[in-house]
């Protein structure tokens, strides 16, 4: 498997990255002011969407039935576990651990697949202070970027909480050969330099 999604393995060898994802993230807080989960919506580029769905049964209206989308969603989410779901979080003093995703689904709209899933925190974290979340593929097989609108939202956050996003410059061309990338693993740090960041601060 060339990256976290098992169906990517059959993609032809091209310059990295191979897949582009436009993402939205919602931070979910409990009534007592603790962060409890991250809701992710990842829209894949049209080329990958076509590849992932090739040969699949379609409805008469061009949509895809649940019998196609549900198993594909499960395969994608299961494959992400090795990569920590491409999300790293930390407070000012400690890393933030996550449980396995829940409520995961795939939708198809305007020729693009979108993976929706909720990533619960292993232990709720008090909102007070600062938190940082990095979203990236360590192998740089998948390139993430924030959506143009509704990039990040805070659901149920205490009064005064705010956020900002940081998006690194993406290289226009890659000079490293495919052999370099084929040796990267889930524990590699190469992709960290292209991490999109969410910085949250609460009083």
């Amino acid at each position: 498997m060339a990256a976290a999604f098992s169906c990517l393995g059959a993609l032809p060898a091209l310059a990295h990255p191979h897949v582009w994802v436009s993402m939205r993230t919602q931070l979910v807080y409990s009534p007592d002011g603790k962060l409890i989960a991250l809701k992710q919506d990842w829209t894949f580029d049209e080329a990958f969407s076509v590849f992932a769905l090739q040969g699949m049964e379609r409805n008469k209206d061009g949509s895809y039935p649940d019998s196609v989308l549900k198993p594909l969603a499960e395969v994608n989410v299961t494959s992400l576990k090795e990569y920590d779901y491409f999300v790293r979080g930390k407070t000012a003093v400690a890393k933030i651990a996550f449980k396995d995703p829940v409520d995961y689904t795939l939708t198809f709209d305007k020729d693009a697949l979108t993976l929706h899933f909720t990533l619960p925190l292993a232990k709720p974290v008090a909102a007070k202070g600062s938190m940082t979340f990095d979203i990236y593929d360590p192998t740089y097989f998948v390139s993430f970027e924030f959506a143009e609108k509704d990039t990040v939202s805070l659901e149920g956050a205490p009064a005064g909480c705010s956020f900002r996003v940081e998006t690194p410059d993406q290289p226009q061309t890659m000079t490293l050969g495919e052999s370099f990338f084929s040796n990267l693993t889930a524990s590699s740090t190469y992709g960290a330099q292209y991490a999109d960041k969410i910085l949250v601060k609460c009083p």
Side-chain angles (χ1 to χ4, degrees):
M1 187 173 66
F5 306 101
S6 62
C7 52
L8 297 179
L11 284 172
L14 303 169
H16 276 59
H18 294 244
V19 179
W20 287 262
V21 171
S22 175
M23 62 178 175
R24 292 182 171 90
T25 299
Q26 183 179 69
L27 283 75
V28 182
Y29 294 80
S30 62
D32 62 354
K34 293 182 179 179
L35 181 67
I36 57 174
L38 270 64
K39 290 184 178 180
Q40 299 282 58
D41 298 303
W42 295 353
T43 299
F44 299 98
D45 65 87
E46 185 176 339
F48 171 72
S49 297
V50 170
F51 175 83
L53 292 166
Q54 62 182 343
M56 299 292 189
E57 174 189 0
R58 301 186 74 155
N59 296 321
K60 291 183 179 180
D61 62 0
S63 63
Y64 288 89
D66 287 345
S67 59
V68 169
L69 296 178
K70 282 186 176 181
L72 189 56
E74 184 172 0
V75 167
N76 284 345
V77 168
T78 301
S79 301
L80 285 168
K81 184 171 185 176
E82 179 185 357
Y83 292 80
D84 296 324
Y85 309 104
F86 293 152
V87 178
R88 275 78 173 171
K90 63 181 180 180
T91 66
V93 296
K95 292 182 178 180
I96 296 174
F98 297 95
K99 298 179 181 178
D100 291 339
V102 296
D103 302 330
Y104 47 84
T105 60
L106 265 176
T107 56
F108 180 76
D109 183 53
K110 297 180 181 179
D111 298 322
L113 280 168
T114 299
L115 178 64
H116 313 269
F117 64 95
T118 298
L119 196 59
L121 271 65
K123 182 179 179 180
V125 176
K128 186 176 182 179
S130 61
M131 302 182 197
T132 303
F133 298 93
D134 291 3
I135 304 173
Y136 67 95
D137 174 6
T139 69
Y140 200 53
F141 194 95
V142 181
S143 174
F144 289 91
E145 63 178 12
F146 289 115
E148 292 183 1
K149 296 181 179 179
D150 303 321
T151 302
V152 176
S153 60
L154 307 180
E155 179 183 326
C161 290
S162 62
F163 70 88
R164 63 185 175 90
V165 298
E166 292 183 356
T167 301
D169 294 332
Q170 300 295 319
Q172 298 299 312
T173 59
M174 301 298 295
T175 58
L176 298 171
E178 195 68 24
S179 59
F180 170 83
F181 291 101
S182 65
N183 290 321
L184 297 179
T185 67
S187 61
S188 299
T189 59
Y190 179 81
Q193 63 188 306
Y194 306 120
D196 291 273
K197 297 179 181 292
I198 303 171
L199 300 97
V200 182
K201 183 175 289 187
C202 293

